[in-house]
């Protein structure tokens, strides 16, 4: 098969061995005589997958026992609701950092529930920078500080974490499982699956026990972290397929060197592209401040919009798709999540080099 | 392959041609060079699936233009929250019918949001009956009357619909797309996908425009029907895989005769089982009132719990799985959704006949 390099921002490329395993097992799962997507979520086949996904994720992250893992639906978008509904009910205060499109959505929902202080606002810099981690302070009495670890549209990523006296709540959707993180700083981490983990239709929430204990008791069932934690994410039927695939991705990562391995790969892929941008300073331009450039979503401009269009069209013809920047900012963007082979980034860098030589 | 007859209550059996199609297309979707589960939800491949799922469902149901179709996540369980949050915000009143486990959950959530009047309560009859449709009255000023069209655990199903002066809001999770329905009675229909429609991780909401207009404007984004309707269910990343499979199931149903066809099949399957129960009145017993027996979930008892265990074990060995009744009620249960071949129900009826002759 002619597999292309797919640089889409999410849903995005998955490890080929995982896709091939799913294909093989899809109709007759482990000789059960039915598909796993037809299996009862209380039966032995799915139970094994559910438990293995949780155990594998704990191993991959080195997660201490005082954190619960929840497998939910509704993506990070539903978490923009659930985080404040659980933690800010009754108008409690929290600090948010406004670092791009995703942070803006999280803030809009939190404001409907609690009292939000925006402690950093990148609007005037068009979200092309982040504050130094050491410059971020929490306000007195804040329940948590909310960060968006990586912004897929602006292409900014926190490379260091603020040291504040309150728990960090972090939307890690677009760089989850792409690097080691200092878990002790985080009270709650959430991530939509469809970048580094698995297919769309799944969100992972990792919540520390003391945060869970603070959660509202007044919520309707699905919106309550306590309900899901109390039932090991089986209060209702879980999204079987995305959890199955994510389990295979987690096994694949654990089997290949875990987070130190993916961290090295992310460094390699992003360096290939940022170096190529730097090599042609009169042709390519990355608008993002150097200290916070994303290793997941590399954004850059060409001298004209016409050249950007031509670049994207010719790259697609050469087997590299999904390179158009988000419609809200234009330009080019390469999303290079865990499953993008380094060869894909190398091929793109080579294409960029040739394109710049030809048109620069 | 040795495909068994899978009588699980949900997730449950899917049409084999659909599973085989998904398997074939899983790694390289329509020669795109990537899987559909790796494709951008704004790209051409997923857009075609999204549109076809909606158009196909509208055709299957004969849905008038004044209803919107929403593809959401969180199953029916999140709808237990979203229905009252959207329609009862500020403590507005609604009527609910307490007909079993699922209705009880819907009521518990609605009570946290609005003012709930329970107009039928089947608790004392252990949820083994439903009221006559003509006996159901709505209270003055109720925003809607909530029904659970089929209860998977008790095995009761509304065979006729109440005639009341308020819109019916209906949880159709377990008999959605299994029969024709008088759409004009319904203001809102919701259904988790994992019985008759597709894999777990998807809920369909069908909402009439006048109901949508009444929905709260104060909700956080994911919880708002108005937000999803305004973005054609693409406000956030949709659950691509379950929608893809559901689209194929919908095409399969439309291509084979639509709802009149599945209605006939449901009648055939359920008649085979209820007739066999009636044939051995001293051995099998269906505890459900005759006028409201479910055509989706047939429940029955044997003379002793030991015989029930033996029945379930021997049936499994004969290639018929998932026949254990729900742990809360015991006994036997056969879930016979759209994708269960009539041959499966016939094989089970034959097995029941032989088992009764041997042990009765």
């Amino acid at each position: 098969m002619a597999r292309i390099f797919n640089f889409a921002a999410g849903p995005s490329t998955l490890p080929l061995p995982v896709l091939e395993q799913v294909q093989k097992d899809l109709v007759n799962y482990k000789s059960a005589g039915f598909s796993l997507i037809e299996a009862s979520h209380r039966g032995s086949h799915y139970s094994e997958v559910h438990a293995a996904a949780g155990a594998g994720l704990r191993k991959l992250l080195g997660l201490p026992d005082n954190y619960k893992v929840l497998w939910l639906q509704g993506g990070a978008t539903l978490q923009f609701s659930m985080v404040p509904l659980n933690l800010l009910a009754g108008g409690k205060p929290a600090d948010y950092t406004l670092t791009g499109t995703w942070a803006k959505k999280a803030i809009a929902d939190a404001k409907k529930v609690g009292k939000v202080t925006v402690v950093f606002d990148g609007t005037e810099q068009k979200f092309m920078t982040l504050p130094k981690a050491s410059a971020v302070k929490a306000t007195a009495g804040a329940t948590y500080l909310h960060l968006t670890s990586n912004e897929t549209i602006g292409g900014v990523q926190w490379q260091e974490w603020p040291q504040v006296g309150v728990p960090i709540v972090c939307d890690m959707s677009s760089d989850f499982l792409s690097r080691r993180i200092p878990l002790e700083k985080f009270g709650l981490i959430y991530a939509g699956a469809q970048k580094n983990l698995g297919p769309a239709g799944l969100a992972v929430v990792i919540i520390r026990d003391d945060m869970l204990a603070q959660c509202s008791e007044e919520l309707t069932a699905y919106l309550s972290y306590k309900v899901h934690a109390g039932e090991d994410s089986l209060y209702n039927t879980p999204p079987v397929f995305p959890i199955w695939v994510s389990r295979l991705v987690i096994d694949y990562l654990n089997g290949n060197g875990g987070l130190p391995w993916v961290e090295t790969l992310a460094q390699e892929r992003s360096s290939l592209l940022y170096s190529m941008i730097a090599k042609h300073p009169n042709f390519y331009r990355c608008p993002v401040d150097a200290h916070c450039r994303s290793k997941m979503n590399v954004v850059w401009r060409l001298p004209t919009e016409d050249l950007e269009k031509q670049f994207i069209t010719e790259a697609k013809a050469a087997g590299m798709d999904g390179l158009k920047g988000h419609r809200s900012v234009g330009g080019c963007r390469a999303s290079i999540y865990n499953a993008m082979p380094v060869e894909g980034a190398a091929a793109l860098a080579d294409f960029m080099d040739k394109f710049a030589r030809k048109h620069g």
Side-chain angles (χ1 to χ4, degrees), chain A residues 323-338:
Chain A
L323 289 166
K324 195 175 170 186
H326 190 267
R327 60 192 185 279
S328 63
V329 293
C332 298
R333 171 175 59 174
S335 295
I336 44 176
Y337 301 117
N338 282 350

Side-chain angles (χ1 to χ4, degrees), chain A residues 175-295:
Chain A
D175 64 359
F176 188 56
L177 304 184
S178 75
R179 55 176 167 172
R180 287 166 291 182
I181 49 169
L183 285 164
E184 67 282 1
K185 292 196 175 193
F186 297 92
L188 191 155
I189 292 166
Y190 63 95
Q194 67 272 17
K195 321 287 191 187
N196 280 311
L197 178 58
L202 173 66
V204 178
V205 173
I206 295 168
I207 184 168
R208 209 169 60 200
D209 287 344
D210 61 305
M211 301 291 279
L212 188 61
Q214 291 176 47
C215 287
S216 171
E217 302 274 0
E218 308 299 314
L219 296 168
T220 51
Y222 197 90
L223 300 179
S224 165
Y225 290 137
K226 285 187 174 173
V227 166
H228 294 294
E231 301 279 342
D232 188 23
S233 307
L234 290 166
Y235 174 75
N236 67 321
T237 312
V240 168
F241 181 81
I243 293 177
W244 173 27
V245 179
S246 296
R247 176 264 178 100
L248 296 175
V249 171
I250 289 165
D251 285 355
Y252 176 80
L253 297 181
N254 274 322
N256 277 286
L259 297 188
W261 176 64
V262 294
E263 198 173 292
T264 304
L265 295 181
Q267 181 64 42
E268 284 183 39
R269 283 186 296 258
S270 58
S271 290
L272 281 164
L273 301 186
Y274 287 121
S275 300
M276 190 51 65
I277 292 167
K279 186 177 170 186
H280 297 283
N282 297 320
F283 193 74
Y284 296 121
R285 182 177 58 84
C286 173
V288 179
D289 268 1
H291 77 94
C292 56
R293 287 181 179 174
S294 172
K295 294 186 172 74

